């Protein structure tokens, strides 16, 4: 079995070298790019397992690129950026990134975060890719939600991780700490905010009443419960 492929997009040669050395020493395959156009061209040929993306790119808006990757690619997206403000981290996670690492960083931590992403439910290729629940069908291989009338709505990789977590544990309480452990994010306010945003977006895509959701219930002070009936195929 081939080793997971990690792509690195950063315009700083030294950052690319440090990340490449650390990841390859840990047993991963890598590809590195200094420009977004080269990076996106490569994605047309192969889908990596994890994308490491800097936000300060010379030829595109890094946040816009992260959002496109989250909606269109099957890879997890980890931002590595010198932007250390809480709002920058929150914005990146809200746009669909799976994790956010600030510069300067410890290469050992980056490797650990990559491994955490690869252990997450969405990264396990043996899992079922289609789930039916309460008139909806979720296609995890295509990032699509389809209602009974055939109308399709895309969801991001990060939203898909949360949805899969709910669908694999219907009618069971899922705490914030369990979500953090399962999804591999860094605990803290930015992770909690990102989860709130992703759950809110999932509710909207499922046509839920935000004041009285039927499927994804908030149990204040405890976590969430998914109340649907789920069938995997």
């Amino acid at each position: 079995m081939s080793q997971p492929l990690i792509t690195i997009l950063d315009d700083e040669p030294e950052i690319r070298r440090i990340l490449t050395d650390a990841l390859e020493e840990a047993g991963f395959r890598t590809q590195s790019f200094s420009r977004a156009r080269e990076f996106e061209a490569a994605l047309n040929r192969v889908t990596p397992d994890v994308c490491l993306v800097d936000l300060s790119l010379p030829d595109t808006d890094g946040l816009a690129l992260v959002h496109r990757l989250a909606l269109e690619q099957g890879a997890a997206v980890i931002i590595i950026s010198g932007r250390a403000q809480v709002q920058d981290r929150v914005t990146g996670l809200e746009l669909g990134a799976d994790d956010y690492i600030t510069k300067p960083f410890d290469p050992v931590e980056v490797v650990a975060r990559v491994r955490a992403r690869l252990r997450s439910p969405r990264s396990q290729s043996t899992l079922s890719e289609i789930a039916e629940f309460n008139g909806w069908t979720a296609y995890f291989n295509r990032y699509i939600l389809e209602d009974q009338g055939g109308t399709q709505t895309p969801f991001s990789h990060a939203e898909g991780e949360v949805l899969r977590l709910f669908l694999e544990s219907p009618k069971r309480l899922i705490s914030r700490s369990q979500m953090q452990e399962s999804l591999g994010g860094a605990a803290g306010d930015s992770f909690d905010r990102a989860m709130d945003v992703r759950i809110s977006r999932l509710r909207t895509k499922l046509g839920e009443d935000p004041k009285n959701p039927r499927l994804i219930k908030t149990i204040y002070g405890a976590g969430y419960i998914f109340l649907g009936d789920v069938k995997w195929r």
Side-chain angles (χ1 to χ4, degrees):
M1 182 181 296
S2 63
Q3 294 298 314
L5 173 63
I6 316 301
T7 56
I8 303 160
L9 175 59
D10 197 299
D11 66 334
E12 298 182 54
E14 183 64 9
I15 295 294
R16 296 197 303 275
R17 184 193 65 78
I18 290 171
L19 289 172
T20 296
D21 289 349
L23 290 164
E24 291 187 352
E25 184 177 346
F28 298 111
R29 294 179 297 134
T30 67
Q31 291 181 334
S32 64
F33 306 89
S34 62
R35 295 293 185 270
R37 62 178 179 274
E38 301 166 352
F39 172 74
E40 293 188 279
L43 293 180
N44 293 327
R45 300 188 296 271
V46 63
T47 299
D49 296 282
V50 178
C51 300
L52 304 179
V53 180
D54 184 24
L55 294 183
S56 300
L57 300 169
D59 59 339
T60 195
D61 174 34
L63 285 172
L65 174 61
V66 166
H67 190 51
R68 290 199 303 275
L69 289 172
L71 289 175
E72 298 171 7
Q73 292 294 325
V77 181
I78 299 177
I79 293 172
I80 298 184
S81 175
R83 304 180 192 177
Q85 297 297 317
V86 171
Q87 187 55 50
D88 291 320
R89 295 199 298 270
V90 169
T91 299
L93 293 167
E94 286 179 346
L95 289 175
D98 296 88
D99 206 346
Y100 195 112
I101 300 171
T102 57
K103 298 177 181 178
F105 55 81
D106 185 333
V108 174
E109 179 187 5
V110 176
V111 171
R113 298 281 191 99
V114 167
R115 283 178 171 151
R117 299 314 314 160
L118 294 172
R119 287 196 301 268
S120 69
R122 276 291 294 121
S123 301
Q124 304 302 316
S125 60
T126 58
L127 294 177
S128 299
E129 296 295 340
I130 302 173
E132 298 174 346
F133 59 97
N134 297 72
W136 292 90
T137 303
Y139 296 92
F140 288 95
N141 54 342
R142 295 190 287 128
Y143 305 98
I144 292 292
L145 275 171
E146 185 175 273
D147 66 16
Q148 288 177 308
T151 300
Q152 296 186 341
T153 303
F155 56 85
S156 72
H157 177 277
E159 291 164 353
E161 283 196 325
V162 177
L163 180 59
R164 183 186 282 277
L165 186 61
F166 285 137
L167 296 182
E168 290 182 337
S169 302
K171 301 175 183 177
R172 291 170 51 191
L173 177 68
I174 301 175
S175 68
R176 289 291 186 125
S177 61
Q178 288 173 318
M179 295 182 76
Q180 188 273 328
E181 181 179 353
S182 296
L183 301 180
D189 290 342
S190 59
F191 177 84
D192 290 344
R193 173 74 181 278
M195 290 303 102
D196 290 340
V197 170
R198 292 171 194 176
I199 290 168
S200 176
R201 288 179 175 173
L202 284 173
R203 284 171 170 160
T204 298
K205 291 175 181 182
L206 292 169
E208 294 267 77
D209 179 354
K211 295 182 179 179
N212 186 32
R214 297 177 300 106
L215 288 175
I216 304 174
K217 287 283 189 181
T218 300
I219 309 300
Y220 291 100
Y224 299 93
I225 292 180
F226 184 82
L227 297 177
D229 295 312
V230 184
K231 177 182 177 183
W232 289 90
R233 60 180 173 88

